[in-house]
Amino acid sequence: MQKILRKICCILTAAAITISGIQQPEAAQTQGDEYQQGISPHAEDKEGVTVYTREEFMAALKQQHSPITVATHITIGQDVDTDKRMLPVKIPGNTLIRGTKDSSISARSPIQLEGDGVCLQDIKIMFESSTALGSVPHREIFLAGHSLTMDNVDTYHGGNIGMGDTEDELLPTVYAGGYSNTAVGDNASLTVINSNDKTMFQAIYMGNDEGTDNKTPYYGEAVLNLDAKPIVRDGVDTALNSRAEINITAEENKVVKTKQFYGNDNTTLTLNQASMEDVELDGVGNIVLKNKAGMTPLTQQFKNITLANGAWLDLSKAENARITGDFSGVSDAAAQRGILVLKQSGSLTIEGKVTGTTQFQTGHRLFPSYFLSGKSYIFASDGGGSEPNFLLAQKSIDDGYTLEYENGEWKVYDRQPIVDEIGRIEIISAPFKVDLRKIPYQEDESIPDETVFFEINWYDLQEEKFSDADILEYYGFYEDNYVIRIRTEYWQSDAEDLLDKTDWYQSVSLMASEEHPGKYYLQAFDGATPGDYTFLFCSEPFDDLSTVGDVKALKDTVMAEKRVIFYNEDQPEPDHTHTFQSTITREPACTEAGIKTHTCECGETYTEQIAALGHTEVTDPGVEPTETEDGKTEGSHCS
């Protein structure tokens, strides 16, 4: 079935995608759902050919053969313009160019489309032009206002090839317009599917001006369809388009690798199922997240946002976020409501209309955290629907929080009592080495592995143990706002050059169990990596931590720490050299030996005996009798 779909995808072309106007965000629909359904009406009518040389390849293009199967490695691009720039190799419309197992194309010039329905499939294309010898690189793919599908295409080529080349990578840049003084169409479309780890671009401009090299501009409507894997180093740009759709579709929980998107009020970015982390969105007018898709942006200001069918938006990295347009929550049932996450100390202002119902929480989308009682979190007009625009997660409700709308502000109130401060944290037991493969997060929130857990006690300032599970659950002493997981080498080092590092975090959390109070089981999320990490248990909750320096600033609140080594198939279980710490667990007496216990951080222990002290004789002097008290003769006793 997959092979059939792949064949369709390359007989298909994004040429069949026409734009009849950008869909409104509240409808939560874009043309991205159908981008694999258009089929070229002419591709099957052409005659296919297999080529082995550059001359055969260029002749096949001129004679408009399709498919063109490249059987070996060929190099294209040799014609030079009057200004000594390389002229583009032009590909006729409805042409399928595909590779074989060992074939590839080296391009010394740009590539430009001459019509819609062009498809590149199962092939490696290396753009060789570099800065060597002071040359101006030519690594452009010009859509020329037409449609291109790239199906399993490797575009990576390493740089630093010598002769003064200073580039680490030689990657193509896509322009919707054309080479100088060439005609362009009005249907700019790029579809990138079945991407591999080397599907990479320098940038994608679905709209472009003339630039410094007199390119043919393109300002019209455009569609860009991507899956999760393509890397676009400098981002996707639709800021110059009259209308543009960016559609990204991938399997649930797949993380999109492209991090930067630039647009205007007529740009719609639709994310379907996949997720984006630390994404930058500059000027993108409409953001539609649907079918459990999610986004953690670094941006703080947005235009219009739609959360549809279980999608989530995590704004915890923005202190005070703002939506200047509309916000919509679209769902068929309560179970499919979108989720809005804010920072505990943050807020969101919505200037436009609010429709639908969205679940609101702090902390993490999977684990609602605590609120600041009485704080206004969302500033927005009441949409006036039959249900409130925002609801708390059931866990937050069970914890005693309420969300109330008052004069344009959504406020959270805490109905739970305040407990004493944490005075001491005691780690009774913990694993030393953990196989990440055994502790994956479970969608049903069940315990991944009941043999992998911390056993912990928390005490107040009066040395009374917090034994009430509801209190522990409510305050989340074991959750991400109290527990830090940092690389051990970073935590133990005093080197100043580590303070700005951001790769310190481990995506492994603790979860409580009603059946086993006092035990906190480990669960690994996407992004968990093998390595040596230290769990830090803090006496106070904390907010955002970005750098190692942020973590070290909390050192005075750390009351307990435990080192854990994680491994998987990529990094096998490490060898371990015991390092024992000695503690006298029983003091020796005169006639009874003491015990010294030696404990390694891995949990292994052994004991040794401390010799009995023996008696130490002390003389008791004699006491003369008096009229009222008896006397004593001289004697002795053991001290």
Side-chain angles (χ1 to χ4, degrees):
M1 182 63 180
Q2 183 179 3
K3 291 182 178 180
I4 294 174
L5 288 175
R6 291 279 306 285
K7 183 177 180 181
I8 291 175
C9 288
C10 276
I11 296 175
L12 85 109
T13 170
I17 304 171
T18 58
I19 303 179
S20 58
I22 301 296
Q23 300 293 317
Q24 296 300 314
E26 53 263 35
Q29 294 178 347
T30 69
Q31 294 156 356
D33 292 336
E34 291 80 35
Y35 73 72
Q36 292 187 359
Q37 296 179 12
I39 298 178
S40 166
H42 305 297
E44 291 182 321
D45 296 335
K46 293 187 174 185
E47 179 183 355
V49 63
T50 299
V51 299
Y52 297 86
T53 65
R54 186 196 72 83
E55 290 74 19
E56 291 176 345
F57 179 79
M58 298 303 296
L61 292 179
K62 185 175 181 179
Q63 297 165 20
Q64 298 190 20
H65 287 289
S66 182
I68 300 173
T69 301
V70 179
T72 184
H73 176 77
I74 62 173
T75 299
I76 62 173
Q78 65 175 13
D79 297 328
V80 182
D81 205 346
T82 54
D83 60 0
K84 298 184 179 181
R85 287 191 300 163
M86 298 297 293
L87 287 167
V89 171
K90 296 185 177 181
I91 304 176
N94 299 310
T95 299
L96 165 60
I97 299 173
R98 63 190 181 191
T100 58
K101 181 179 179 182
D102 299 315
S103 66
S104 60
I105 295 176
S106 289
R108 295 177 175 174
S109 68
I111 291 175
Q112 178 160 317
L113 309 189
E114 288 191 302
D116 291 328
V118 175
C119 181
L120 307 175
Q121 183 188 55
D122 297 335
I123 197 164
K124 177 178 178 66
I125 300 181
M126 298 176 291
F127 286 80
E128 292 185 345
S129 177
S130 75
T131 57
L133 298 179
S135 299
V136 176
H138 301 287
R139 300 192 293 270
E140 302 96 343
I141 298 176
F142 290 109
L143 301 180
H146 300 301
S147 61
L148 170 65
T149 296
M150 301 178 72
D151 180 358
N152 185 31
V153 178
D154 174 353
T155 56
Y156 176 80
H157 186 35
N160 294 317
I161 57 178
M163 297 179 289
D165 176 35
T166 60
E167 299 171 288
D168 294 330
E169 300 172 314
L170 308 181
L171 305 178
T173 296
V174 177
Y175 292 96
Y179 186 80
S180 301
N181 302 315
T182 55
V184 299
D186 57 4
N187 183 37
S189 171
L190 174 63
T191 298
V192 183
I193 55 176
N194 299 311
S195 303
N196 56 60
D197 291 334
K198 292 186 177 181
T199 302
M200 304 170 70
F201 304 89
Q202 190 62 43
I204 296 177
Y205 295 93
M206 297 308 293
N208 64 270
D209 56 18
E210 293 181 353
T212 58
D213 53 354
N214 198 33
K215 290 185 287 289
T216 301
Y218 186 88
Y219 304 116
E221 298 179 342
V223 175
L224 172 63
N225 303 305
L226 300 175
D227 52 22
K229 276 192 173 182
I231 294 175
V232 187
R233 292 293 187 208
D234 296 335
V236 172
D237 195 324
T238 62
L240 298 180
N241 293 98
S242 59
R243 289 180 183 269
E245 288 190 4
I246 304 170
N247 305 306
I248 304 178
T249 299
E251 298 175 8
E252 187 178 348
N253 296 324
K254 291 292 184 181
V255 179
V256 176
K257 293 185 177 180
T258 299
K259 301 287 189 181
Q260 297 168 304
F261 295 85
Y262 306 91
N264 56 39
D265 287 354
N266 296 317
T267 298
T268 297
L269 169 62
T270 300
L271 186 62
N272 187 7
Q273 293 190 293
S275 64
M276 289 180 170
E277 297 176 358
D278 296 339
V279 62
E280 297 182 34
L281 304 165
D282 187 349
V284 177
N286 307 293
I287 298 170
V288 180
L289 310 177
K290 62 182 183 178
N291 299 326
K292 298 184 179 180
M295 178 185 292
T296 304
L298 298 177
T299 311
Q300 298 197 56
Q301 182 164 307
F302 312 88
K303 183 70 180 294
N304 300 304
I305 293 181
T306 297
L307 302 185
N309 299 328
W312 52 273
L313 176 65
D314 186 342
L315 298 178
S316 61
K317 295 193 175 182
E319 187 71 34
N320 297 296
R322 181 176 296 273
I323 297 174
T324 61
D326 300 334
F327 181 88
S328 180
V330 180
S331 63
D332 297 328
Q336 293 296 310
R337 285 187 182 126
I339 297 175
L340 170 66
V341 181
L342 296 182
K343 187 177 180 180
Q344 282 97 344
S345 59
S347 67
L348 171 64
T349 299
I350 304 172
E351 298 179 2
K353 185 179 180 181
V354 181
T355 56
T357 300
T358 301
Q359 180 174 304
F360 160 59
Q361 60 201 56
T362 63
H364 189 276
R365 65 184 178 89
L366 298 175
F367 306 103
S369 188
Y370 72 96
F371 296 93
L372 302 179
S373 184
K375 176 177 170 56
S376 297
Y377 278 97
I378 301 173
F379 299 84
S381 299
D382 187 355
S386 57
E387 290 191 19
N389 295 134
F390 297 99
L391 294 172
L392 295 180
Q394 187 60 48
K395 178 184 181 298
S396 299
I397 296 172
D398 294 341
D399 286 344
Y401 289 111
T402 60
L403 179 63
E404 300 177 14
Y405 182 76
E406 302 173 6
N407 300 320
E409 300 178 7
W410 293 88
K411 292 186 177 182
V412 175
Y413 292 98
D414 180 3
R415 309 304 183 191
Q416 288 285 345
I418 302 299
V419 303
D420 291 338
E421 297 179 27
I422 298 175
R424 181 167 64 91
I425 301 173
E426 176 188 28
I427 300 176
I428 301 171
S429 67
F432 180 64
K433 292 185 289 187
V434 175
D435 187 342
L436 287 169
R437 293 167 292 184
K438 294 183 178 180
I439 59 167
Y441 165 73
Q442 305 295 311
E443 287 286 348
D444 61 2
E445 298 186 1
S446 61
I447 297 172
D449 187 335
E450 293 197 2
T451 67
V452 184
F453 60 86
F454 277 66
E455 192 169 0
I456 312 169
N457 287 330
W458 284 266
Y459 297 86
D460 62 20
L461 296 175
Q462 289 74 42
E463 280 293 309
E464 293 290 333
K465 186 172 74 172
F466 290 118
S467 56
D468 189 333
D470 290 339
I471 292 294
L472 295 172
E473 175 76 11
Y474 172 71
Y475 284 96
F477 292 156
Y478 54 88
E479 294 181 350
D480 289 356
N481 52 305
Y482 275 92
V483 183
I484 304 169
R485 286 84 61 197
I486 184 173
R487 293 181 186 272
T488 299
E489 60 177 309
Y490 291 177
W491 178 243
Q492 294 180 349
S493 174
D494 293 325
E496 291 189 3
D497 61 348
L498 296 177
L499 296 179
D500 292 330
K501 285 188 172 292
T502 58
D503 60 341
W504 56 270
Y505 180 78
Q506 174 68 307
S507 296
V508 174
S509 294
L510 302 179
M511 64 180 296
S513 167
E514 293 181 3
E515 292 77 16
H516 306 286
K519 292 183 178 180
Y520 301 89
Y521 297 90
L522 273 69
Q523 54 184 351
F525 295 90
D526 288 343
T529 56
D532 190 335
Y533 289 85
T534 296
F535 283 63
L536 306 177
F537 295 83
C538 299
S539 60
E540 299 174 4
F542 49 80
D543 288 326
D544 236 7
L545 302 176
S546 298
T547 66
V548 172
D550 293 338
V551 176
K552 288 184 177 289
L554 298 175
K555 189 171 184 178
D556 290 343
T557 71
V558 176
M559 288 193 160
E561 54 185 83
K562 187 63 180 178
R563 178 185 172 199
V564 180
I565 297 175
F566 295 94
Y567 63 94
N568 59 16
E569 69 277 5
D570 297 324
Q571 183 170 318
E573 180 177 0
D575 295 330
H576 174 58
T577 301
H578 293 301
T579 303
F580 291 98
Q581 299 291 330
S582 301
T583 305
I584 296 177
T585 50
R586 189 174 75 193
E587 295 287 348
C590 298
T591 58
E592 184 178 14
I595 296 177
K596 180 182 289 186
T597 300
H598 305 271
T599 304
C600 178
E601 59 189 345
C602 71
E604 183 165 327
T605 65
Y606 72 92
T607 61
E608 65 173 309
Q609 196 173 76
I610 304 174
L613 299 175
H615 291 305
T616 300
E617 190 174 279
V618 177
T619 300
D620 299 319
V623 178
E624 292 293 333
T626 66
E627 294 179 354
T628 58
E629 293 185 6
D630 296 333
K632 293 181 180 178
T633 61
E634 184 179 285
S636 65
H637 71 277
C638 176
S639 63

